[in-house]
Each structure stands twice: as structure tokens, then as C-alpha cells.
Amino acid sequence: MEFRRPSLFLFLFINQVFISVQSKEQVLLDMRASGSELGWLTLPYENGWEIVQTVVNGSLYYTYSVCSIESTEQDNWLRTTFIQRRPGTTRVSVELRFIVRDCNTFDGASVACKETFNLFISEADADVGTNFRKGQFRKVATIAPDEVTRGRVLKVNTETRTVGPLSKKGFYLAFQDMGTCVALLSVRVYYKTCPSTVQSLATFPETVADALRGVEGACVENAVSQATPRIYCTAEGEWVVPVGQCQCLSGYETTGDSCQACKPGYFKPSESSELCQVCPDNTKPSMAGATECQCEEGFFRSPSDPPTSPCSAPPSAPLDLTSTTLSAEGRLQLSWSPPLVTGGRSDLTYSVVCEHCDGGLCIPCGEKIHFEPGSTDLQDTTVIVTDLDSHLNYTFTVEAFSGVSQYSTERPISTITTGLDYTDPPKVTLIHLDDRSPSSLSLSWTLSRRPPAHISHRYELMYRRKDDDGERGVTTYRVLILEKNSVQIDDLIPNTTYLFKVQALSPDGSPGSYSMEHEFHTSPAEFQIQNNSTMVMGAVVGVAVILLIVVAVLLLRKRRLSSRGRGGPEDPYFSTDQLKPLSYVDPHMYEDPNIAIQKFVTEIDPNAISKQKVIGVGEFGEVFRGVMKTPVRGEVAVAIKTLKPGYSEKQRQDFLSEASIMGQFSHPNIIRLEGVVTKFKHAMIVTEYMENGALDTYLKDRDGEIPSYQLVGMLRGIAAGMKYLSDMSYVHRDLAARNVLVNSNLECKVSDFGLSRVLEDDAEGTYTTRGGKIPIRWTAPEAIAYRKFTSASDVWSFGIVMWEVMAFGERPYWDMSNHEVMKAINEAFRLPAPMDCPSAIYQLMLQCWQHDRSKRPRFTDIVNILDKLLRSPESLKTIADFDPRVSIRLPSTSGCDGTMFRSVPEWLESIKMSQYNESFARAGITTMEQVLALRHEDIRNIGVRLPGHMKRIAYSILGLKDETSSLSVFAV
Ligand code: AMP
């Protein structure tokens, strides 16, 4: 039973896994070898079996023979001597060679004659000597000849019988003759063994082969196997089916049936059936039995290298490190060649480090600069460095790495100190009017990039009077070469428009390109002359200025500071804080408002004015574009606000009160009043003409087209205008992008100063619970709640204007109702950052929306902050997080209840992108499912090219996808 499964296995595979090891016979008894000295017992004694010498086929044999065939009832026994059983053997083979005479050859004796005899066995634990008892024997077999002998030629038969199972220490065999003429030539008793053997590097002991038997072996010296090696010994004495492979240990290889140590110069790294290998490159020659070959001096293996790999050297430094300034702003490309010594490795990488070094002291550049695709693990030999400051020098260190770098004590580095090296000087992007008087203009300008610290640019400024067309068609400019980016130009004509353009010059004097032409207007001299009170004030200020100058000069001397300052707005001794402007006077303070008009406003001859085209409609009537003839400036473009016919005296006074407020202001960022017509039937207010109209519509038409830097420049202008108003103690109450006008130089000017306007004129005005009309979305909570209008509430509105500007004229709080807006603001929610809004700008908005008005920045702070940001444009590069989930509040989403739009046109309309209806249809995008699957490039392929439109559509899709959006995402 035990071997049933192996034997089945064995039969299946015996042909394949036959191991040809000869079986061995262990002989226990050999009758022939004993010759005549057998000493076997016979019974009956002297009758029956007897020893006879016989020559068979020419050989002499001592045989036991019997031939008692004449009488019946023969019972002749022949018993062997005691045969010892070897421990472990349970069966033995008995081989008999014998001759049987044919009964037919005996005349008349055929009745008693037989031709077979019997084999018996009796087991015993000890030799019983001559004590032979037949009853103790059991029959094993009847032995019959294959051939009987008839004539002289003797027919020798060989028969083998297996006897067992045996259990006692020994046994006797006996042969019973019952009347046969038989001669036993030979009796051989033996058992078979599977001889001791080595199979697959495992040794197996000699094993008795009496049935199929599994034998456990052991691996030869220096070999191991995972499972105990086994083999089977068959009953025939053959080894079959070895199981479990022994393998030579590392450092040893199979040689025949043993494991021999690897020869010197060879190695074997693991237990395997493989042979030893020659030591790889860059290794020391190994000793005998080596499991690996040690690296030569200066060569290494990385922890991930297999011991079979050659040893490699750390790389040398990258070669030919160069930098190229790219045309895109603030970008530089570093390139290098692979090191001379790669160490024979293919896993080379590079890392780049940026530092600012000065006199051997280096500090990291920090997180402001970025690397594309990254600064470590670079596989290519180029990297692009972005967000660099053009006026700084950088030290870049490129280091080569490989898998064996950690073993090297030297760092393979190449270093380059470089900066942005623009071949052309920076462009002048915007000219600002910092201050003006009747005879002078103070200008400053901003550059497309900061020049490197070591390069000092000069500037060429050209200007002329706008109405001076020169002689014989030749326009004459005055040209100034300037060392810094600001100037005060004196000796100008009052109330005159001048044209300016500036270009930067590189250090060698080669020019860049001119900025756009900017127009600036000197303040009118008439204004001061016509108003006695203003003259008095002017005189007071003049004395104050002289006093201040004296104090300043004394201070300057004391501090031994030499200054050629012209007293511009940057000059600390002439700051506007010390030169407090006049306070605004409320026209309603006058009993007769007409007196206020006479005081603050220039009366214009109606014949000097001609209307050209209606450009808008105000509360009191149409607004025209027109021209005004002036004695000094010639014809100037103006906007003319008219009072519609049929007005009441109260309406006329309200209409003109805006002029009497505006007439008190003189600032480049406040709409300038040219004058009024009051004497004529149709009253008119004449202001400077702003070519680009209201700021909100201007931005809506250019969604996404204006860079943030320029938007921030516009905000700076509005803030400067508001600072002026707050310095004048004037509270605007209706600051909003719709009330800011933009001229052809993209300068922004605050307008709309009507006293009643906040209450009645503005379409955004809403009646509050207290009955007044207030533009809720733009108004600070305290002003809504208890009419606390202050410059701090104007700052809140300025925050909303910042948002409108950065969102390209988007409606604040989108489609939320005024009630929802008030509720949200009181619950501390604030507008989220517009798309692509610089983080610093959004932070400033949030400051403007502080609930506690004393915590809001003042306009003077706001101007300073914006100036600072504009001076370092890289500070605008960090973009405030735009959470697409915020778009739940954009008109671009499916609405608060999450229902989908029914059609693509309906969706496009909701995000004000209906102009793309046809493009979507043409591209086959007709269902909202298709819309949801659109990717950026798909949107572009449909034909949406403008970045602002791209973003609006893409963000809307993101918003549509986001079902989990929450209403409270812009809580602060
Ligand atoms: P207002 O009554 O001041 O709100 O003016 C109504 C509209 O007329 C404004 O929205 C502008 O589109 C236009 N407008 C008013 N003043 C000017 C100006 N000085 N230059 C150009 N357009 C103006």
C-alpha cells in the first residue's frame, strides 16, 4: 500500500527516469561453490537423495540426485544447511538448476515415475542441526522442468522462486522428491540490493531491493537542496525517479558527482547548477572558491548592481556648462555635455542647484525660481530655469550622479555664474503721470523687466505739444537723455496736452524701441486765477512749501546728504503728507448752489463747443463726444453731459453739483472738468474725453487679453485717484468699475461725482430698509447697515473694483440676489479669487473686505502696495488658488439644484459665450455629455482661441463635473 502512488508514478515515468545502476546480488548460499562439502541432510538416510558426481556438458558437478521410480509412495527429502537471513531482507530468491529424466525413457516404470519435485522452507531463529522435522516445513512451490532429458544430451533447467516474507534469523530450504529422476546441479540463495549511489549531487546508501522503496539521501559536500533528496529502489535493484535537486554552494561548481571550489580568477555568486564565471571587468583577481570578485581600487558596484556586473567608476563632472537667455521673460536654458568619465554606467543623472554667491558666501536661491522639468534626477543634459530676476546674477551648479556616486569623496560638479542676458534693452510699457502743475509734468515709467544690477540703462524721452504740428509738416520733439526712470519736465504751457514717448538705451547706447505715445495735460492756470479763495489757499500752501523747503534744506545739510531731487512724489521731504491738499467743499454748504458753481467751475462759451456723437446716457440726459475750441490748446476732444429739456430748477442744481465737485479736483486719475455751460438754455458739463469709455465694458470686451501686470497698473491709477479723493476728505460712495473711465493710454480715471447719483442715478442702487438707494454689491456692510460712508467704505468698494478688474468685468457675486449677497457677507463669506489673479492682489482685496473698517488698508497703503508689486513684476507670478468648485456661483454652472443644461446653446448662453454656438455645432458637439468629455485641446480645436474664453469654458466644464460643490467655498 505504501508504494502505491510512487509505483504508479514510477510506471508513468520509468522510461524517462531510468537510472542505469546495476543491481547487486548478495549470495547467502551457493551449492556449487561449496563443491562436495555441502553436508545437507537427506531423509530417509541412504535411500533417496545422494551426492553424485556428474559431468554435464563437459563440466564436473557435485549434484544431489534421486531416481526412485520403481515403487510408488516415495517421500525423499533433502534439507540445506541453516541459511542466515541478512537484516533488512524479507525476501530471498532461490535459483535452481536441475535435470529431470523423461519417465517414458524407463520401461515399465511409468506408473510410479514423476517429473516434478517440491520446494519447502522452514524458518528458525537458530540452527537446529540434524533435528530435521518435515512438519515444520511449508511448501513454497512445485518445481517442474521446462524440458526433460530423454537421451544422452542432458537438458538443464533453471527455475527461480522468490521466498518470503521472512522474519526469523534464518531458514532452511528442503526439496521433496516423490518419485522423480532428478539431479540438482545448483542451488543459489540470494537477495538483490540497489547499490550505494550519487545521483544529482545526492548520495544514497545501498538499499535492499525487495519491493519499491523510497530512500532519502544527502547532498554531497558543498551542495545543498531545499527539500531532502529522495529516490526509489525497485524490487529489481534499480534506482528510479530521483526527487529534489542538490546544487553546489556559491563559490563551488559541479564537477562530476561532486562540488569543487571555483578556480582563482573565477567566481560563482549563488547556489545554482551553473558553472563558475570569469571575474568581470574592473575587479581584482579572486581566490579559489570566490563567491564574488572584489572591485579594483577606485571602482564600485551600486547596491542594485548584481555581483556578476563589472565594477564602475563614479562619473566625472559634466562638461561645457553654458547658459542661454530665452526670449520668454525670466527664462534661461542651462545645457551641458555628459561627463568624460561615465564610469561605464548608463544610469547617469544630473541635479542643478541655484545659489546667489557673493565673496565666496553662497545662499540658496529659494523657491522663487523654478526648473523645468525639475532640478534633480535629470536624464537630459538641459534644464530650463524660470522666474529669474533680470537684475540678479545666479550661480548654477550641475552635478553628475550615477549608481556609484555615493562611494566617491569628490563631487563631480560644473558651475556657472550667469544672469539673464537680454541683448536688447527692456521695453517701456507704461508712462505714469505722477504729478502735474500748470507748468510742469512729473512722469515715471515702468519697464517690461528689471535690468540686471550691473547694467544701468539710460532713457531717451521725446515730447512735444500735441497741437504743435511744426513748420512745413516737420514735427519737432524735444529729446532728453535721462539716467533714471522718472523725470519732471518744467517750463510747460498751462492747460496744454503734451505727447511723450520713452525708450530704454542699452549701456552701449543702442536703443530699444519706443513706448506707445502717451498724452498728459498740464493743469489749467485759469483755475487758480479765477478763484480768489483758491488763490488764497494757494498762497498759504506756497508759504508752507517755502517753509518746508527751508526746513528740508537745513535737514539735508545736517545729514550731509546731497540730493538733486526735484521734489517729486518720491521725495521724502516733499511728500503729500506734509503738503496736505485742500479739503473738498460740499456744494450743499452754500445756500445758493449757483455760488458753488461759480466758485469752482469755469464757464465755457457754448459756441466753443460742438457735439459730435452720443456716447452714453446719464440720469439727466445724453452724453456726447465733441470738441472744444480753446485759445491755447486749439481743438480738444471732450465729453459733453447734457441736461434734458423740461428739467426743474432742483434737477438743474443737482446736475451742476457734479461739476462743482469735479471742479475742485485736479489729479491725473480723476476725470478732469473742462468747464460748464450754465448761461445757455441747455446746461452742459464738459469733461476730458476718455476714448475707451467705462472700465467695466472695456474689460468685458477684452476678456483674458490683458496681462495681469497691466491690470494691476490700471488698479494703481484708480487707487491713486481714490487716495487723492480721500486726502481731500471726499467720500465717493459709488466706486465701481462702471464709474471708472479709461483713456487711449489705458489710464483710469474715477468719475461720477453727482450728489444725488448714489441715491437715484445708479442702476445698481437698491432701496435699503432705511429707504436710501445703495449699490449693495459694492458697498461696505456698515454703509448698508447704518449709512456709515467713509473713505474706509470706499476702500471696500475699491476691493470690489479690484475683483471686477481682475475678473475682466465679471459681475460681483454673479447671479446672487442683493439679499443673498448681504446675507453671505454678514456670514463672513467673501468673493473667491478670480481666475489667474495674482495671489498678492487677492490678498489685498481680502484686506479691503475686512469687516472691521479700521482694519482695512488706507488708499495711501494701497497705492504703496500696488507700486511695490509693479516694481517687481515677479511678485505677481504667484497665482491665487482658483477653486473650480467656486464656479457653483458662476453663471457657468448648472445652477444650485444641480440640474443639467438642456442644450449646448443654453449652456453657452449661461456663460456668455453664445458666440461659439456655431463653432460647437460645426464640431458636432451637440449634447451636454459631449461637452463634459471635452479636453483643453478639443476646446481649442473647436475654434476657441482667446485665453479668457478658453478658461471660462474649461472652468465651466469643471464646475459642471463637480457635483459636490458647496456654497461656502469662499468663506474667509
Ligand atoms: P455718466 O452719466 O457719467 O455715468 O455717463 C454715462 C456714460 O457716458 C458712461 O458710462 C460712459 O460710457 C460715457 N461717458 C461719460 N463720461 C465720459 C467721458 N468723459 N469720456 C467718454 N465717455 C464718457
Side-chain angles (χ1 to χ4, degrees):
M1 284 297 279
E2 201 189 328
F3 292 115
R4 229 159 139 187
R5 288 171 135 260
S7 59
L8 181 70
F9 180 70
L10 189 131
F11 289 126
L12 286 172
F13 293 99
I14 197 137
N15 291 335
Q16 293 162 24
V17 197
F18 180 81
I19 294 161
S20 66
V21 176
Q22 283 296 311
S23 64
K24 216 161 128 189
E25 287 177 358
Q26 303 288 349
V27 178
L28 300 176
L29 174 85
D30 188 350
M31 174 185 141
R32 193 153 181 241
S34 309
S36 60
E37 304 300 317
L38 283 167
W40 292 4
L41 278 180
T42 57
L43 200 79
Y45 188 65
E46 296 202 330
N47 265 332
W49 294 93
E50 60 181 341
I51 289 186
V52 179
Q53 227 178 1
T54 316
V55 175
V56 179
N57 299 338
S59 304
L60 177 69
Y61 282 84
Y62 285 94
T63 68
Y64 275 101
S65 304
V66 64
C67 195
S68 306
I69 53 169
E70 288 87 14
S71 56
T72 56
E73 297 190 9
Q74 292 293 320
D75 185 22
N76 306 311
W77 288 77
L78 169 69
R79 193 205 70 175
T80 63
T81 48
F82 186 64
I83 306 166
Q84 296 271 352
R85 181 176 71 90
R86 293 278 164 82
T89 47
T90 55
R91 280 167 209 282
V92 291
S93 297
V94 179
E95 183 202 73
L96 304 175
R97 299 185 70 213
F98 58 94
I99 300 161
V100 174
R101 179 74 54 190
D102 185 352
C103 283
N104 295 322
T105 56
F106 301 106
D107 299 335
S110 58
V111 180
C113 181
K114 296 198 171 58
E115 291 178 350
T116 61
F117 62 94
N118 299 319
L119 172 65
F120 281 77
I121 186 167
S122 169
E123 280 191 86
D125 279 325
D127 191 344
V128 295
T130 54
N131 184 9
F132 171 42
R133 280 188 250 142
K134 288 190 273 183
Q136 290 175 336
F137 281 78
R138 65 184 159 88
K139 186 173 169 182
V140 177
T142 300
I143 309 294
D146 293 332
E147 271 185 293
V148 287
T149 301
R150 291 192 182 88
R152 295 182 62 85
V153 180
L154 301 175
K155 304 283 185 187
V156 179
N157 296 281
T158 305
E159 290 288 326
T160 305
R161 294 289 181 273
T162 303
V163 181
L166 304 173
S167 54
K168 296 198 174 169
K169 290 205 171 133
F171 58 91
Y172 295 94
L173 294 177
F175 306 95
Q176 183 196 30
D177 162 54
M178 296 174 81
T180 307
C181 196
V182 56
L184 266 177
L185 302 184
S186 139
V187 175
R188 227 159 55 83
V189 179
Y190 62 89
Y191 61 92
K192 282 187 183 168
T193 59
C194 290
S196 66
T197 183
V198 179
Q199 301 282 328
S200 307
L201 295 177
T203 53
F204 297 94
E206 185 184 44
T207 303
V208 174
D210 51 2
L212 185 66
R213 177 184 288 186
V215 181
E216 287 192 350
C219 292
V220 298
E221 206 181 340
N222 298 317
V224 285
S225 82
Q226 284 177 344
T228 311
R230 287 175 73 85
I231 197 166
Y232 290 90
C233 175
T234 67
E236 298 311 310
E238 281 159 0
W239 293 112
V240 290
V241 200
V243 181
Q245 176 78 42
C246 294
Q247 293 180 325
C248 290
L249 293 171
S250 47
Y252 290 84
E253 65 183 349
T254 314
T255 311
D257 281 336
S258 66
C259 291
Q260 298 294 328
C262 296
K263 288 184 282 179
Y266 287 75
F267 76 108
K268 205 190 94 182
S270 58
E271 294 159 21
S272 71
S273 45
E274 278 161 23
L275 297 176
C276 300
Q277 303 173 43
V278 180
C279 284
D281 287 348
N282 306 321
T283 57
K284 296 180 202 159
S286 64
M287 313 271 276
T291 54
E292 68 173 311
C293 306
Q294 299 294 325
C295 291
E296 261 179 40
E297 204 69 32
F299 290 85
F300 309 93
R301 283 195 188 96
S302 87
S304 60
D305 285 349
T308 46
S309 70
C311 296
S312 42
S316 59
L319 297 175
D320 311 325
L321 176 58
T322 55
S323 78
T324 317
T325 301
L326 300 179
S327 57
E329 201 70 359
R331 290 165 85 89
L332 181 141
Q333 175 169 299
L334 294 176
S335 312
W336 59 91
S337 305
L340 209 57
V341 179
T342 60
R345 301 188 67 90
S346 55
D347 58 353
L348 278 191
T349 59
Y350 306 93
S351 74
V352 186
V353 171
C354 172
E355 290 170 311
H356 295 293
C357 295
D358 190 11
L361 182 72
C362 294
I363 50 164
C365 297
E367 287 166 6
K368 254 169 74 180
I369 69 155
H370 295 98
F371 295 90
E372 289 171 10
S375 61
T376 54
D377 282 330
L378 296 167
Q379 285 170 8
D380 283 346
T381 54
T382 58
V383 71
I384 291 177
V385 196
T386 66
D387 305 301
L388 294 171
D389 206 329
S390 57
H391 79 296
L392 291 179
N393 263 343
Y394 297 87
T395 300
F396 293 102
T397 304
V398 180
E399 182 165 1
F401 289 93
S402 76
V404 296
S405 288
Q406 71 262 42
Y407 305 111
S408 169
T409 48
E410 281 169 32
R411 291 181 61 198
I413 52 173
S414 285
T415 300
I416 188 172
T417 297
T418 182
L420 291 170
D421 182 18
Y422 293 106
T423 45
D424 51 334
K427 261 190 84 89
V428 173
T429 48
L430 212 59
I431 306 179
H432 309 275
L433 177 60
D434 294 332
D435 203 1
R436 65 173 178 165
S437 74
S439 63
S440 72
L441 289 169
S442 292
L443 306 178
S444 62
W445 46 92
T446 39
L447 301 174
S448 57
R449 60 181 131 85
R450 283 170 81 186
H454 61 281
I455 294 181
S456 54
H457 284 296
R458 287 176 306 149
Y459 303 93
E460 187 177 284
L461 177 130
M462 287 175 76
Y463 71 96
R464 69 174 173 93
R465 260 172 53 199
K466 190 180 179 186
D467 52 11
D468 180 6
D469 287 335
E471 287 172 23
R472 283 165 293 177
V474 179
T475 316
T476 315
Y477 281 91
R478 290 199 61 189
V479 179
L480 301 177
I481 302 293
L482 303 161
E483 300 294 332
K484 53 179 200 164
N485 65 334
S486 63
V487 67
Q488 177 175 313
I489 300 160
D490 296 314
D491 304 325
L492 302 177
I493 303 164
N495 212 4
T496 303
T497 305
Y498 285 85
L499 297 176
F500 295 88
K501 51 187 183 177
V502 186
Q503 69 174 347
L505 303 174
S506 61
D508 63 3
S510 57
S513 55
Y514 271 111
S515 66
M516 269 171 47
E517 213 159 38
H518 287 61
E519 291 188 19
F520 298 107
H521 198 83
T522 49
S523 21
E526 300 97 319
F527 175 72
Q528 291 179 351
I529 297 158
Q530 281 185 7
N531 294 296
N532 292 340
S533 63
T534 318
M535 268 178 68
V536 172
M537 291 290 225
V540 170
V541 170
V543 169
V545 167
I546 289 164
L547 270 172
L548 279 168
I549 289 172
V550 170
V551 171
V553 168
L554 287 173
L555 276 170
L556 277 172
R557 284 218 179 128
K558 199 173 168 194
R559 292 185 185 201
R560 295 172 188 221
L561 285 171
S562 65
S563 166
R564 287 183 290 132
R566 288 172 168 141
E570 297 296 314
D571 191 319
Y573 300 109
F574 298 92
S575 75
T576 44
D577 281 351
Q578 291 175 49
L579 292 175
K580 258 222 170 299
L582 303 170
S583 273
Y584 144 83
V585 181
D586 183 346
H588 285 106
M589 302 282 284
Y590 293 86
E591 222 170 283
D592 178 359
N594 291 316
I595 297 180
I597 291 164
Q598 281 166 28
K599 260 184 176 313
F600 300 124
V601 179
T602 313
E603 181 70 36
I604 299 172
D605 178 355
N607 294 322
I609 297 164
S610 55
K611 294 180 207 144
Q612 289 175 327
K613 191 183 160 198
V614 178
I615 49 169
V617 183
E619 199 223 339
F620 296 98
E622 289 158 323
V623 182
F624 291 85
R625 188 188 70 198
V627 283
M628 180 177 80
K629 287 198 201 91
T630 66
V632 188
R633 289 183 287 153
E635 282 193 350
V636 288
V638 288
I640 305 157
K641 284 189 174 186
T642 59
L643 180 61
K644 59 193 168 208
Y647 53 81
S648 65
E649 180 52 26
K650 166 85 174 55
Q651 281 174 322
R652 182 175 173 278
Q653 280 172 10
D654 281 348
F655 172 70
L656 290 173
S657 68
E658 181 175 9
S660 46
I661 296 168
M662 228 191 289
Q664 299 182 50
F665 303 142
S666 170
H667 188 273
N669 296 104
I670 303 293
I671 197 82
R672 187 177 74 246
L673 178 75
E674 297 285 1
V676 289
V677 176
T678 56
K679 310 254 154 63
F680 188 59
K681 186 172 59 169
H682 299 295
M684 287 184 266
I685 299 175
V686 182
T687 64
E688 65 180 308
Y689 177 61
M690 301 292 284
E691 293 83 346
N692 280 312
L695 177 60
D696 60 336
T697 11
Y698 174 79
L699 291 172
K700 276 178 204 156
D701 294 345
R702 287 161 187 79
D703 192 354
E705 291 170 31
I706 307 173
S708 324
Y709 182 81
Q710 204 156 350
L711 295 177
V712 176
M714 296 169 99
L715 287 175
R716 191 254 175 219
I718 304 168
M722 289 308 295
K723 172 183 173 330
Y724 174 84
L725 293 182
S726 70
D727 287 347
M728 291 277 280
S729 311
Y730 176 81
V731 180
H732 190 288
R733 297 178 175 218
D734 195 12
L735 178 60
R738 64 182 171 278
N739 290 330
V740 172
L741 296 168
V742 187
N743 70 10
S744 58
N745 289 335
L746 304 191
E747 284 169 322
C748 291
K749 306 200 182 199
V750 179
S751 80
D752 252 34
F753 299 99
L755 273 183
S756 60
R757 174 198 33 60
V758 174
L759 305 176
E760 284 149 33
D761 177 24
D762 197 323
E764 283 293 348
T766 298
Y767 288 100
T768 63
T769 44
R770 303 172 112 229
K773 234 181 158 193
I774 285 174
I776 299 294
R777 278 153 220 272
W778 282 264
T779 305
E782 73 277 7
I784 298 174
Y786 50 96
R787 306 196 151 268
K788 184 75 189 164
F789 285 97
T790 56
S791 288
S793 63
D794 276 354
V795 165
W796 179 289
S797 311
F798 178 76
I800 303 289
V801 172
M802 287 180 78
W803 191 91
E804 289 184 277
V805 168
M806 300 316 293
F808 288 95
E810 184 73 78
R811 180 170 167 74
Y813 310 98
W814 304 279
D815 50 2
M816 285 167 81
S817 70
N818 279 344
H819 181 74
E820 282 173 334
V821 172
M822 286 192 285
K823 189 164 171 287
I825 292 298
N826 284 334
E827 285 168 4
F829 295 126
R830 297 291 183 268
L831 280 165
M835 273 180 275
D836 285 345
C837 176
S839 180
I841 294 295
Y842 184 56
Q843 289 311 314
L844 185 54
M845 287 181 207
L846 292 175
Q847 292 303 310
C848 295
W849 301 328
Q850 292 264 14
H851 192 270
D852 179 352
R853 69 176 190 278
S854 67
K855 289 194 180 144
R856 293 174 205 154
R858 293 164 306 151
F859 278 114
T860 179
D861 305 322
I862 295 174
V863 172
N864 287 341
I865 291 169
L866 292 176
D867 273 342
K868 209 166 147 202
L869 293 175
L870 286 167
R871 272 200 299 274
S872 48
E874 71 276 13
S875 61
L876 299 173
K877 293 224 165 106
T878 313
I879 301 302
D881 283 342
F882 178 88
D883 188 340
R885 289 174 303 158
V886 168
S887 55
I888 186 83
R889 311 303 302 155
L890 289 167
S892 52
T893 62
S894 52
C896 295
D897 62 351
T899 48
M900 293 289 286
F901 292 99
R902 269 162 298 158
S903 68
V904 178
E906 186 184 314
W907 163 64
L908 284 171
E909 196 194 331
S910 78
I911 55 169
K912 297 187 207 153
M913 290 282 115
S914 292
Q915 65 266 45
Y916 295 110
N917 269 343
E918 249 182 52
S919 316
F920 273 70
R922 230 179 295 124
I925 309 296
T926 52
T927 65
M928 287 309 288
E929 285 73 38
Q930 287 172 297
V931 167
L932 285 176
L934 290 177
R935 292 160 310 155
H936 263 247
E937 55 267 39
D938 301 330
I939 303 172
R940 190 171 296 117
N941 291 340
I942 285 171
V944 181
R945 292 283 146 75
L946 294 176
H949 294 185
M950 270 284 295
K951 275 182 218 148
R952 181 174 272 251
I953 291 172
Y955 274 116
S956 166
I957 294 172
L958 261 174
L960 284 172
K961 281 180 185 167
D962 193 345
E963 290 289 291
T964 58
S965 36
S966 100
L967 273 171
S968 57
V969 281
F970 52 96
V972 288

